Amino acid sequence: MKHKIENIELDFLTIGDYQELKRAMILAYQTIPNPYWEESEIQTLLNKFPEGQIVIKVNGHIAGCALSIIIDHEQFEEQHTYKIVTGNYTFETHSKTGDTLYGIDVFIKPEFRGLRLGRRLYDYRKELCEKLNLKGIEFGGRIPNYHKYEAELSPKEYIEKVKSREIPDPVLNFQLSNDFYPVRVLKGYLEGDKASIDYAVLLKWDNIYYEKPSKRAKDIKRVVRLGLVQWQMRPYKNINELMQQAEYFVDTLSEYKSDFALFPEFFNAPLMAEFNKLGEAESIRKLADYTTPIVQEFSKLSIAYNINIITGSLPELVGDNLYNVGYLCRRNGSVERYEKLHITPDELKAWGMKGGNKLQTYDTDCGKIGILICNDVEFPELSRLLSDEGMDILFVPFLTDTQNGYSRVRYCAQARAIENECYVAIAGSVGNLPKVHNMDIQYAQSMVFTPCDFAFPTTGIKSEATTNTEMILISDVDLDLLRELHNFGSVKNLKDRRLDLYELKKLNVENPAPQISTPNIDKVEY
């Protein structure tokens, strides 16, 4: 480079730049005949889509340029030519209502190559794509070194060797390093491109922030406020007194505009004190009689306080079998059930509980969520299956008596956040129940975990409650940060799995479940 760089700026192309633009294109495309656009054609582009035409200037002079249009992807088959996609070079294919940004041209003058100025042009295109809420960017990328290998390699083989760094290609290597990926080979794409033997590669970049236009009054929230209830075990005279305390927490979380309220596992255990003389197995079956009215009351609260409630867990009898279950009470009035799949040895020995069979994700107005009860989070297969279904947030209501038990839940939950690139919220109970067998002491610290990458806390802990203290924990989580992590993270745990070596799948198991009647309200569709 002959000249000292004093200033680099990105600017919109104007028709006054045309003569300099023409000279720059001739220098950039020395192997292509008639490599420049006519002034009338540039004027057409500027009239149709001025924000899509940009130049990068060094010391006030054009060093590179990027030209683009918006197309309706469905109008063009994956196999197309440059002439077709530009409407025979008229740009009549540009559509203000299109869904894809199509790259018409991008170049850097030879004397400025190696300074990564082209990256700035592509970064602008990506920002424009996000700003206009387009699905992504497409273009036909030249493969100018292919003429050297035409006799021995097909275009597909050539691309694979470029991707594996066996063959250098200045254009394709650059596109791949800018997060574009090859879709297919385009034959006869650009007339006169002898270096590429008229071949090109259809390259794409996906806008992870794209949102399909919706006619709904309210879309899925991207920043979600979680409310965790760290519940104090204390004596209650009856179910009404228990639910008064539960409503207090729901009311408080609603005042703070929380989207979810998460209660712990078996938070209603104090009601067993009345049946303590009956023995452990019989008393918890008596406690199961309260499950239906508690769920009905929670459903009313979710509607009245406009908050999604995860009811922790409750004992429930199905026929003669006792299960550990919970309910998702959405604020639109709908209710869904979840089950604990892996019961603990103590639940089996003391209560005669059985493990459930139901594992699924749940759609909410705050994205797709999963719910695992306590011990289930210690089985990584479950959360991975939920992740494969698109889970953004995993909720874990738990009950642990000792610090050892709590540590198992806590560290396994944190591992699930990292390996599944999701948020994990855990909520437990604290305090003592001296008059309830098998529920004497509790140890808990409710927390919200995140993946470990630059956009998240270095410790992977978003927020944490005070140990063994009754309180609520409120924490905001950004779902768009997960999208960025999935695609651009330092490591990509989900994308980089070796599915050619192993697979994980869910079996369909029938499990009869009781129907919980909910408040008489018309369901509101999300």
Side-chain angles (χ1 to χ4, degrees):
M1 189 175 61
K2 299 179 180 179
H3 306 290
K4 178 181 178 182
I5 294 179
E6 297 178 351
N7 182 54
I8 299 176
E9 61 179 342
L10 202 65
D11 201 359
F12 290 115
L13 177 67
T14 68
I15 201 62
D17 294 318
Y18 177 72
Q19 291 302 326
E20 188 177 3
L21 175 69
K22 178 180 177 180
R23 292 192 295 270
M25 295 189 77
I26 292 172
L27 289 172
Y29 297 119
Q30 296 181 24
T31 62
I32 297 178
N34 302 318
Y36 59 87
W37 294 98
E38 297 292 344
E39 185 172 359
S40 60
E41 294 168 328
I42 293 297
Q43 185 63 67
T44 299
L45 271 178
L46 293 174
N47 291 341
K48 288 180 175 291
F49 187 31
E51 62 267 47
Q53 325 312 324
I54 56 169
V55 290
I56 191 163
K57 294 184 177 181
V58 174
N59 299 340
H61 296 285
I62 292 177
C65 176
L67 310 175
S68 54
I69 59 176
I70 298 174
I71 64 168
D72 184 350
H73 176 77
E74 294 300 322
Q75 291 186 4
F76 297 91
E77 297 181 0
E78 299 287 0
Q79 189 72 37
H80 60 262
T81 67
Y82 190 69
K83 187 175 182 179
I84 290 173
V85 82
T86 59
N88 198 20
Y89 314 119
T90 66
F91 310 117
E92 291 299 323
T93 49
H94 173 74
S95 171
K96 292 182 179 179
T97 59
D99 57 12
T100 301
L101 189 73
Y102 198 96
I104 295 299
D105 209 334
V106 64
F107 71 87
I108 296 293
K109 289 172 64 177
E111 63 187 284
F112 295 108
R113 290 172 186 168
L115 298 178
R116 300 192 176 185
L117 299 183
R119 186 181 296 271
R120 303 191 190 198
L121 298 174
Y122 278 101
D123 286 345
Y124 172 82
R125 277 182 172 173
K126 293 174 183 177
E127 291 172 5
L128 180 63
C129 189
E130 293 169 3
K131 176 183 176 182
L132 298 178
N133 191 37
L134 301 176
K135 286 183 178 179
I137 303 171
E138 294 182 11
F139 58 87
R142 300 175 62 234
I143 43 176
N145 278 0
Y146 180 56
H147 67 280
K148 301 177 182 178
Y149 302 90
E150 177 192 12
E152 54 187 287
L153 297 175
S154 69
K156 181 179 178 181
E157 291 170 335
Y158 175 81
I159 293 168
E160 289 301 318
K161 288 188 176 294
V162 173
K163 287 172 62 179
S164 62
R165 306 296 183 181
E166 297 178 54
I167 295 176
D169 186 283
V171 175
L172 187 53
N173 283 143
F174 176 76
Q175 315 293 2
L176 296 174
S177 68
N178 276 279
D179 302 316
F180 287 86
Y181 62 92
V183 177
R184 65 173 62 246
V185 174
L186 299 174
K187 185 177 181 181
Y189 182 72
L190 182 62
E191 297 177 11
D193 185 5
K194 294 181 179 179
S196 303
I197 319 298
D198 290 344
Y199 283 104
V201 183
L202 180 62
L203 292 155
K204 284 189 177 184
W205 174 84
D206 296 322
N207 176 15
I208 62 174
Y209 302 112
Y210 172 73
E211 294 184 6
K212 186 176 181 180
S214 173
K215 296 181 181 179
R216 297 177 299 183
K218 187 175 182 180
D219 290 325
I220 291 176
K221 296 189 65 172
R222 309 310 301 167
V223 177
V224 180
R225 180 160 292 179
L226 309 181
L228 282 56
V229 179
Q230 189 156 285
W231 178 269
Q232 173 77 44
M233 291 294 197
R234 58 167 65 89
Y236 292 99
K237 295 179 181 177
N238 50 47
I239 186 175
N240 292 332
E241 193 171 276
L242 177 97
M243 291 310 297
Q244 284 176 4
Q245 183 68 14
E247 182 173 4
Y248 160 75
F249 284 120
V250 171
D251 184 9
T252 303
L253 291 173
S254 177
E255 285 292 321
Y256 283 100
K257 308 299 181 185
S258 297
D259 297 296
F260 287 96
L262 172 64
F263 283 81
E265 180 182 24
F266 288 140
F267 76 96
N268 65 334
L271 297 179
M272 279 198 291
E274 180 183 354
F275 315 111
N276 207 34
K277 61 181 181 295
L278 299 178
E280 295 169 359
E282 190 172 350
S283 64
I284 198 167
R285 282 164 173 74
K286 288 289 187 179
L287 182 65
D289 293 340
Y290 292 118
T291 294
T292 295
I294 287 175
V295 175
Q296 291 174 335
E297 185 62 25
F298 268 131
S299 184
K300 293 177 184 177
L301 295 177
S302 68
I303 297 167
Y305 290 100
N306 190 28
I307 186 171
N308 301 300
I309 299 176
I310 297 168
T311 66
S313 82
L314 309 157
E316 187 172 78
L317 277 169
V318 181
D320 294 329
N321 295 323
L322 182 68
Y323 295 95
N324 186 346
V325 307
Y327 286 82
L328 167 63
C329 300
R330 297 187 185 90
R331 51 186 161 195
N332 71 353
S334 61
V335 175
E336 290 200 67
R337 181 177 181 271
Y338 52 89
E339 302 173 341
K340 187 171 185 177
L341 306 184
H342 299 87
I343 58 170
T344 64
D346 186 68
E347 286 174 305
L348 176 62
K349 178 181 178 182
W351 294 334
M353 274 192 163
K354 292 184 177 293
N357 299 314
K358 184 177 183 180
L359 177 68
Q360 68 175 79
T361 53
Y362 303 90
D363 291 314
T364 74
D365 57 353
C366 300
K368 197 178 290 286
I369 69 167
I371 307 170
L372 296 177
I373 301 174
C374 196
N375 192 45
D376 280 339
V377 80
E378 299 174 26
F379 295 82
E381 302 90 344
L382 300 183
S383 54
R384 178 50 55 87
L385 288 167
L386 297 177
S387 178
D388 285 342
E389 294 180 9
M391 173 185 68
D392 292 314
I393 307 171
L394 174 63
F395 292 94
V396 183
F398 71 90
L399 175 69
T400 51
D401 53 355
T402 66
Q403 193 168 356
N404 292 337
Y406 166 73
S407 293
R408 287 194 296 270
V409 172
R410 178 250 168 95
Y411 290 114
C412 287
Q414 188 164 17
R416 303 298 86 87
I418 295 170
E419 65 198 15
N420 295 301
E421 298 176 354
C422 67
Y423 298 108
V424 179
I426 66 173
S429 295
V430 301
N432 307 307
L433 283 177
K435 293 186 178 181
V436 178
H437 290 313
N438 205 42
M439 298 289 291
D440 307 276
I441 58 175
Q442 285 79 36
Y443 183 98
Q445 184 181 21
S446 302
M447 306 181 83
V448 177
F449 300 112
T450 74
C452 292
D453 213 317
F454 296 118
F456 306 95
T458 56
T459 60
I461 300 173
K462 184 69 167 63
S463 55
E464 55 189 325
T466 303
T467 305
N468 281 352
T469 301
E470 183 175 44
M471 63 179 291
I472 58 174
L473 182 65
I474 298 175
S475 187
D476 288 346
V477 295
D478 188 339
L479 302 188
D480 283 335
L481 292 181
L482 299 180
R483 305 291 175 271
E484 290 185 14
L485 178 67
H486 297 336
N487 291 275
F488 310 119
S490 301
V491 294
K492 304 178 181 69
N493 293 332
L494 295 180
K495 279 193 169 184
D496 292 344
R497 286 177 292 165
R498 289 291 306 276
L499 299 181
D500 57 321
L501 299 179
Y502 55 83
E503 67 175 343
L504 180 66
K505 61 182 179 180
K506 184 168 59 174
L507 303 177
N508 293 321
V509 180
E510 292 294 328
N511 185 38
Q515 296 296 316
I516 298 289
S517 59
T518 55
N520 185 19
I521 181 172
D522 292 334
K523 302 296 188 293
V524 180
E525 296 297 332
Y526 290 123

